[in-house]
Amino acid sequence: MSHSAVLIPGDGIGPEVTRAAQRVLEAAGAEIEWEECLAGVAAIEAGYDQVLPDATMEAVQRHRLALKGPCTTPIGEGFTSVNVALRKRLDLYGAVRPVRSVDGVKTRFSEPGVDLVVIRENTEGLYSGIENVITAGVVTSLKVVTERASRRIARFAFHYAATRGRRKITVLHKANIMKQGDGLFIRCAREEFEEWKGQLEYEEVIIDAGCMRIVQHPEQFDMLLCENLYGDVVSDLCAGLVGGLGMTPGANFGIEGAAVFEAVHGSAPDIAGQDLANPLALIMSGVMFLRHLADTSGDDHLTVIADRVRDAYNACLLAGEKTRDLGGSLGTSGFADAVIARLSS
Ligand code: NAI
């Protein structure tokens, strides 16, 4: 069965890693007709006057499915983030970021190993983008917390846990200080949890102490539920437990089945265009993409293809076929070649 989806190469290392992932999925037998669309600096350079051109938005809305490379956002000035805009405009409210230790990538946390999922609320919090210069030298950044979004992400997290065989949700918060905002977030989670009592375990942990516990005892955590900024920071922290940003895939789920798959990492301008980037996080995101497409289309063969890709990259890592960030010597395209070579073995 043939399927279609949007491919957004993005900026920096984006085109290199998306090309690698695209090649791997194709070699594994996934028949995807890609509609390639621009976003980010790449869109401006191509002559669009917006970082998220209408044509790209329209295509993602039409397919309701995309594989996306990272997009650059300037720090402290310039245009607002493409990612934030895409997530808000498509209402991609739930980010899912699995973090797992993998045989062949040894870290100080490999024993007893890490296997957790970060669920991040994607549409509000401090990413509201509402900032005001009150007077010279005084700025306020507005953290928006709504009951609607807080209940929605809590329900999403509990449902995800129950359907994926997860046992425990830890809500990270700072409601001791942000009594109203984070207070509302945990109250909604606590109330929504009532429906799942007996099926799942639930705990609330203040985020600073939680971060310490995550690095001391990551095995104590199964799923982390966070508002937007905490989820952003904690995702990278957790990536560090399993080998870094080259190892952490992600998905953003929205209403009416919309889903955009992208790695946790950014456009890594420091290594862009040098064949140095690790495409594994986007290849892993591609595996999540295939599993989602299998679920939504009923094409079970995609699950077989997803398993084939996962087995191939695991075999590569075990054999020491890795990119430099993981201590290996392969480049971006060399790693994709190695995964492709293992698909048939
Ligand atoms: P970054 O994730 O791009 O890079 C952080 C460090 O990790 C760099 O040293 C980089 O070389 C390394 N790194 C990242 N991905 C890697 C990979 N696949 N293989 C090997 N090394 C890798 O984060 P940074 O520098 O904070 O952000 C750069 C740009 O990316 C910014 O404009 C930021 O706004 C954007 N960004 C975009 C995201 C998205 O589109 N989803 C997510 C995060 C950041």
Side-chain angles (χ1 to χ4, degrees), residues 149-222:
S150 303
R151 285 197 186 283
R152 181 168 77 164
I153 193 67
R155 281 198 297 272
F156 175 89
F158 297 135
H159 180 263
Y160 184 94
T163 53
R164 307 292 168 119
R166 295 270 159 187
R167 61 190 154 75
K168 184 172 120 186
I169 307 263
T170 304
V171 185
L172 297 176
H173 68 90
K174 193 77 187 172
N176 50 330
I177 304 298
M178 277 159 282
K179 295 177 195 293
Q180 294 297 330
D182 283 17
L184 176 60
F185 189 81
I186 54 170
R187 181 169 60 75
C188 291
R190 204 179 290 160
E191 288 174 9
E192 290 297 328
F193 180 68
E194 288 296 314
E195 273 191 41
W196 301 91
K197 262 190 176 155
Q199 291 183 62
L200 298 168
E201 287 170 56
Y202 174 86
E203 69 174 345
E204 293 164 3
V205 176
I206 294 178
I207 184 148
D208 40 355
C211 285
M212 183 196 69
R213 265 183 62 198
I214 292 168
V215 294
Q216 281 188 320
H217 294 291
E219 73 285 358
Q220 290 178 356
F221 296 90
D222 193 30

Side-chain angles (χ1 to χ4, degrees), residues 13 17 68-75 83 87 97 232 236 245-246 262-271 276-281 323 325:
I13 60 171
V17 294
K68 175 184 166 296
C71 295
T72 298
T73 309
I75 294 176
N83 310 303
R87 290 168 195 167
R97 286 138 173 222
D232 192 0
D236 278 34
L245 287 166
E262 63 178 339
V264 170
H265 64 72
S267 56
D270 52 335
I271 56 167
L276 286 176
N278 185 353
L280 179 56
T323 45
D325 54 312

